[in-house]
Amino acid sequence: MQQFRLGQLAVSLALAWTTSVYAENVLPLLPLSLEELIATPVVTASRHQEGREQTPAHITVITREQMRDRRYKSLADLLEDLPGVDFQRGTRSSQYNNFVFQGHVSNTKLLILLDGVRIDNPTGGKIPVAENFSLHFAKQVEVLYGPAAALYGADAFAGVINIITDQTEMPSGKASVGIGRFGALEGDFLVGGKLSENIALTVGGHSQKSDRAPLDKYYPGDYPKVAARTFAGTTVIPASQREDYVGGISSESRYLRLDATEHFTLGYYRNRFASLTSTGDLSSAALFLDDARWNSSIETWYGKFRFEISPDLKSELVVDYSTYEVNPYSRYVNIFTNFEDEGYDYSKSRRRGIEENLTWRANDRHVVLAGLGYRDYYALETPDLPRPYDPDKGPLGQGFYYPNTNLPLRLFQTNYYSWSGYVQWQAQWTPSLSTTIGLRDDWYSTYGNSLNPRIGVVWQPLPGNYLKLLYGEAFRAPAPDETLGAFGSFDGSKDASGRYIGKNFRATNLSLQPEKSRSLSLTWDWRPLKNFNLVTNVYHSRVTDIIVTRDEAVSTQYIPGAILSKTTAKQNSGRDHYRGLDLIPQWQVHLGGAWTADLWGSYSYIKGTVQDAIDDIEWDQTYIATHKIKLGTTFRYQDWFTVTPRLQWIGETNTGRKNTLVPGERLKVDAHTVASLHFGFHKLAGERLSVYFDVYNLFDERYYAAHGSSSTTMLAVPQQPRSYMATLQYRF
């Protein structure tokens, strides 16, 4: 365990301060004024540059300076602090973190982009959104709330997060290294500049690892050392021989951007994340083994070709190639594998796409966007494997058999493709009234087409007041891990005909249809003063055809030579209904002398219900707190020193487990308050060095994140105790 002493840090800071000298070529560290921040152009809402008040969508912009001062080092950090987001850290086996975005559960409902190009799962499945999505290279992050399928197609369901980068003109760079409690280590770098008059290159990367806290020492009642028993009740490991809890994580990312004149951009992005497959599991249901990990990576290449057809007509051609892969040595050792080493997993997916986009500025009042695209996909999904998958042999050459049988193990793969076309018309009818009308059609070879409109109005009734009304529809395409996901096990028993008997198997379902959403939102953007802004967003969403796991009335017999007595499958039978409110104030104030402060925060209210079937009863929303308050302040002494306290109060939160005594209710996790404190010392060592010290869970609270989706998982997952990290950043 590596720890820092505050005294040693203070001495280091004092020494660095005494060696600081003035250097004019260092970029300024002062943030934008609130007025300038509001005027920052955005591109995500309409796929072209515009002011925030010009789009009917509710959109938030987080700048490079805000990320630095608030210490949003990853997309997980930023998401956790956003209005309308419920974030549960370290609760899921394959995803690690779980989050809900204005009522919509998991990353599959939120599109993650890099400069407008998708960089999350290429076929829409679940992925970790954690330290792997580092923000060290981001110029700003734009968060678009609400459905955006009319522009972006599949999976822009709850919203869009777009990480924006910029071209580096002058030779420059930065490098950071950090070390902290519980074996935390991290580092990143970003360098760039012009290679010639017309060519600029920027490259970067980050690496991170942490042992994290031994939670069995801080929450002994939640990690009892009990005997590991199979479903049949056989003791495999006595309680006296059980292992200690471990929960380490690691991640890395790579980034490249090459610009040739203003017409061509080549980009590359890759990230990887590893965590224990026992994350969120009861100690009676899994072994906490440091080498039993889920390890996944995403890699994306893209090219953009921009040119003017005429002064009023611009074209952008985007070509991208993306892959997702689970490392073949990813494995589970739990009750479902009888605590034996035969729970390896593997999956792989790929997307190739091309899209032509046109922007026509008919005159100063009317802008029309249109696009046509094609994508093809491939995906491979495996059930639990008795040994690691060999990627060099392909699906047909593995030679796997279901454990306890002589039956060949079935692996599932698919190829499919899609076409898309969209058009959007923005009109400024008067200086105070504008409208947006958009429509997109996506056709998939697997299930047909999905037509999604978007209609919005922006009205400025008074100076400093903008009212935005938006109606939109969206769809989430069925992911291969849902259509092809199949698993189960045999105990070796046979029926009278000599067929192996299988129980509790998951069957594939290639007939899944997309989930569908309809949302209406009203946003009031109020700017009574240059240094104060209040955004109020009210929304109402209905989701149908939700993909849920259901028992099959007649078991699908998909394994030759076996008889499956009971199977489940993913089916389109669920419905959700949400309504909510986000209040988002932001205020800048001069405190006197050289001191200023940026204050921000949010209050979020949401109420919703879910149904597993149309004729089923309505249950409370899952993984959501009805009330949430998030507050923060950055105190700044010129551009030399910053201190940022952040606080979150998360109300009583529903888990994924139903209360069998009260139909409609779910079991809950208690409310909690957690704070963090972040110091930044800048302009040291010739104004090139910055030192940061971050304290998380400042008051060392013992609190829990909602979970409990099954009987083998924790209802409430213990969260990290107080931790801290010191970071040095050098700019050159």
Side-chain angles (χ1 to χ4, degrees):
M1 183 183 300
Q2 296 167 330
Q3 299 186 4
F4 278 101
R5 296 179 180 176
L6 292 174
Q8 292 174 331
L9 177 64
V11 171
S12 299
L13 292 174
L15 290 173
W17 185 275
T18 60
T19 61
S20 64
V21 294
Y22 187 76
E24 294 196 19
N25 60 340
V26 177
L27 292 176
L29 294 170
L30 286 173
L32 299 174
S33 68
L34 183 57
E35 191 175 20
E36 292 171 323
L37 179 63
I38 291 174
T40 300
V42 297
V43 298
T44 308
S46 300
R47 295 187 72 155
H48 71 92
Q49 195 172 92
E50 61 185 350
R52 194 175 86 180
E53 68 278 358
Q54 294 174 288
T55 172
H58 171 37
I59 189 167
T60 296
V61 179
I62 309 296
T63 66
R64 178 188 286 124
E65 293 78 16
Q66 290 174 321
M67 287 183 273
R68 178 200 66 209
D69 295 340
R70 302 178 188 181
R71 306 302 287 154
Y72 298 154
K73 293 183 285 187
S74 69
L75 196 55
D77 296 335
L78 190 150
L79 273 166
E80 188 175 36
D81 210 33
L82 283 178
V85 175
D86 293 82
F87 201 90
Q88 293 97 30
R89 284 187 181 266
T91 59
R92 295 299 179 95
S93 179
S94 59
Q95 293 173 252
Y96 189 67
N97 296 325
N98 181 56
F99 64 88
V100 186
F101 196 91
Q102 285 193 338
H104 302 282
V105 181
S106 104
N107 73 281
T108 60
K109 311 291 179 66
L110 186 71
L111 202 58
I112 302 175
L113 309 177
L114 174 62
D115 291 326
V117 177
R118 182 171 187 159
I119 57 169
D120 56 12
N121 193 310
T123 54
K126 295 178 180 179
I127 59 168
V129 179
E131 284 76 1
N132 51 327
F133 283 94
S134 173
L135 298 175
H136 71 280
F137 57 87
K139 172 189 175 184
Q140 65 189 46
V141 177
E142 299 177 6
V143 182
L144 179 67
Y145 286 81
L151 282 177
Y152 295 101
D155 308 335
F157 204 75
V160 177
I161 289 186
N162 196 1
I163 302 170
I164 306 296
T165 68
D166 56 1
Q167 177 179 328
T168 304
E169 295 287 343
M170 300 298 295
S172 62
K174 64 175 182 176
S176 301
V177 60
I179 185 169
R181 197 182 186 194
F182 304 124
L185 294 168
E186 62 183 28
D188 63 68
F189 76 94
L190 185 69
V191 295
K194 281 199 169 185
L195 303 180
S196 67
E197 183 179 354
N198 293 319
I199 298 178
L201 175 67
T202 305
V203 296
H206 108 281
S207 181
Q208 170 272 334
K209 70 173 289 294
S210 175
D211 297 333
R212 305 182 83 240
L215 293 179
D216 55 345
K217 304 298 189 297
Y218 292 90
Y219 301 85
D222 295 293
Y223 295 94
K225 291 188 176 182
V226 297
R229 294 187 175 92
T230 66
F231 278 120
T234 304
T235 297
V236 178
I237 303 175
S240 60
Q241 299 177 18
R242 285 300 302 268
E243 73 290 346
D244 292 334
Y245 170 86
V246 290
I249 61 173
S250 66
S251 67
E252 63 182 35
S253 67
R254 304 169 191 169
Y255 163 76
L256 176 148
R257 173 172 170 166
L258 176 69
D259 292 278
T261 71
E262 71 274 14
H263 300 298
F264 172 72
T265 298
L266 174 67
Y268 170 74
Y269 178 75
R270 181 185 189 275
N271 76 43
R272 180 195 63 80
F273 187 78
S275 61
L276 270 65
T277 51
S278 55
T279 300
D281 288 344
L282 294 167
S283 57
S284 60
L287 300 186
F288 300 110
L289 303 179
D290 194 52
D291 60 349
R293 290 178 170 269
W294 183 269
N295 194 332
S296 61
S297 61
I298 304 171
E299 187 173 59
T300 303
W301 285 93
Y302 68 89
K304 291 187 175 184
F305 308 86
R306 297 173 291 268
F307 54 92
E308 286 189 2
I309 300 174
S310 72
D312 298 320
L313 183 61
K314 297 181 180 180
S315 169
E316 181 181 71
L317 179 68
V318 182
V319 179
D320 71 294
Y321 178 87
S322 182
T323 61
Y324 165 78
E325 185 174 27
V326 173
N327 186 289
Y329 289 91
S330 298
R331 65 179 182 137
Y332 299 84
V333 183
N334 56 23
I335 194 170
F336 298 102
T337 66
N338 289 324
F339 297 98
E340 296 179 3
D341 186 18
E342 52 184 34
Y344 290 86
D345 210 337
Y346 182 74
S347 64
K348 184 175 183 178
S349 59
R350 182 263 301 153
R351 181 192 71 244
R352 296 180 297 199
I354 183 171
E355 186 172 73
E356 171 64 32
N357 302 290
L358 297 172
T359 302
W360 177 41
R361 187 170 295 277
N363 53 47
D364 292 339
R365 297 169 54 191
H366 298 275
V367 178
V368 178
L369 286 82
L372 181 66
Y374 170 82
R375 293 179 175 88
D376 73 73
Y377 307 84
Y378 167 79
L380 167 67
E381 294 286 335
T382 73
D384 292 340
L385 306 175
R387 63 178 186 275
Y389 183 93
D390 186 348
D392 295 331
K393 293 183 178 180
L396 301 180
Q398 299 297 319
F400 290 125
Y401 292 87
Y402 287 100
N404 302 314
T405 77
N406 59 5
L407 302 176
L409 192 147
R410 296 200 63 185
L411 310 180
F412 298 93
Q413 56 184 333
T414 183
N415 287 279
Y416 59 101
Y417 60 92
S418 70
W419 287 94
S420 64
Y422 74 91
V423 62
Q424 177 178 274
W425 170 35
Q426 290 181 286
Q428 188 75 46
W429 300 105
T430 71
S432 61
L433 180 66
S434 64
T435 59
T436 298
I437 299 175
L439 183 68
R440 176 169 170 139
D441 189 28
D442 290 84
W443 182 88
Y444 280 74
S445 60
T446 47
Y447 56 77
N449 78 307
S450 181
L451 190 66
N452 293 277
R454 184 167 79 153
I455 303 172
V457 178
V458 179
W459 178 41
Q460 185 183 7
L462 295 169
N465 288 266
Y466 297 89
L467 294 175
K468 305 179 179 185
L469 182 66
L470 178 69
Y471 171 79
E473 298 182 8
F475 74 106
R476 187 183 78 83
D481 59 6
E482 295 166 321
T483 58
L484 303 181
F487 53 82
S489 61
F490 295 92
D491 60 9
S493 60
K494 299 181 180 180
D495 67 0
S497 302
R499 296 175 296 181
Y500 288 100
I501 300 174
K503 299 179 181 179
N504 301 316
F505 266 74
R506 170 72 55 78
T508 62
N509 184 359
L510 301 179
S511 301
L512 286 177
Q513 298 294 306
E515 298 180 352
K516 301 174 183 177
S517 171
R518 294 176 174 85
S519 296
L520 181 66
S521 70
L522 176 64
T523 304
W524 176 28
D525 191 337
W526 183 40
R527 309 170 190 176
L529 303 170
K530 289 184 178 180
N531 62 345
F532 180 77
N533 179 218
L534 175 63
V535 175
T536 304
N537 178 236
V538 182
Y539 57 91
H540 182 264
S541 299
R542 289 185 179 273
V543 187
T544 58
D545 293 331
I546 294 177
I547 299 172
V548 297
T549 303
R550 302 280 293 176
D551 292 334
E552 292 193 300
V554 178
S555 297
T556 299
Q557 305 298 327
Y558 69 94
I559 303 175
I563 180 69
L564 305 182
S565 61
K566 180 182 179 182
T567 59
T568 62
K570 295 291 186 180
Q571 298 177 8
N572 293 103
S573 62
R575 296 194 301 179
D576 286 0
H577 178 204
Y578 298 103
R579 60 185 183 277
L581 162 72
D582 290 329
L583 294 174
I584 311 165
Q586 194 168 359
W587 183 32
Q588 288 185 337
V589 60
H590 179 246
L591 300 175
W595 286 94
T596 59
D598 298 337
L599 298 91
W600 75 94
S602 66
Y603 164 73
S604 298
Y605 166 86
I606 183 171
K607 193 67 176 177
T609 58
V610 301
Q611 290 178 276
D612 293 336
I614 294 176
D615 57 351
D616 196 9
I617 66 172
E618 292 186 341
W619 291 88
D620 290 338
Q621 57 203 6
T622 56
Y623 311 120
I624 294 175
T626 300
H627 303 279
K628 294 176 286 290
I629 297 175
K630 303 178 182 182
L631 301 172
T633 304
T634 295
F635 297 99
R636 180 177 294 101
Y637 181 80
Q638 293 182 344
D639 53 352
W640 296 88
F641 172 70
T642 57
V643 56
T644 303
R646 291 196 282 128
L647 181 143
Q648 293 185 356
W649 176 81
I650 308 300
E652 196 176 52
T653 305
N654 293 325
T655 69
R657 200 168 299 170
K658 297 174 180 177
N659 186 348
T660 56
L661 300 178
V662 184
E665 288 190 3
R666 295 188 183 273
L667 301 180
K668 302 178 186 298
V669 170
D670 291 339
H672 66 266
T673 302
V674 62
S676 63
L677 187 60
H678 311 276
F679 298 93
F681 301 84
H682 311 289
K683 287 191 167 184
L684 310 178
E687 301 198 2
R688 295 184 178 276
L689 180 69
S690 293
V691 179
Y692 300 96
F693 189 71
D694 305 304
V695 185
Y696 303 95
N697 192 357
L698 179 64
F699 301 111
D700 203 23
E701 295 292 322
R702 299 292 177 265
Y703 67 105
Y704 295 80
H707 189 34
S709 55
S710 73
S711 60
T712 61
T713 59
M714 289 182 164
L715 179 70
V717 178
Q719 296 297 287
Q720 293 289 296
R722 182 191 295 121
S723 63
Y724 40 81
M725 173 164 281
T727 304
L728 299 177
Q729 182 185 89
Y730 188 77
R731 297 180 300 278
F732 50 87

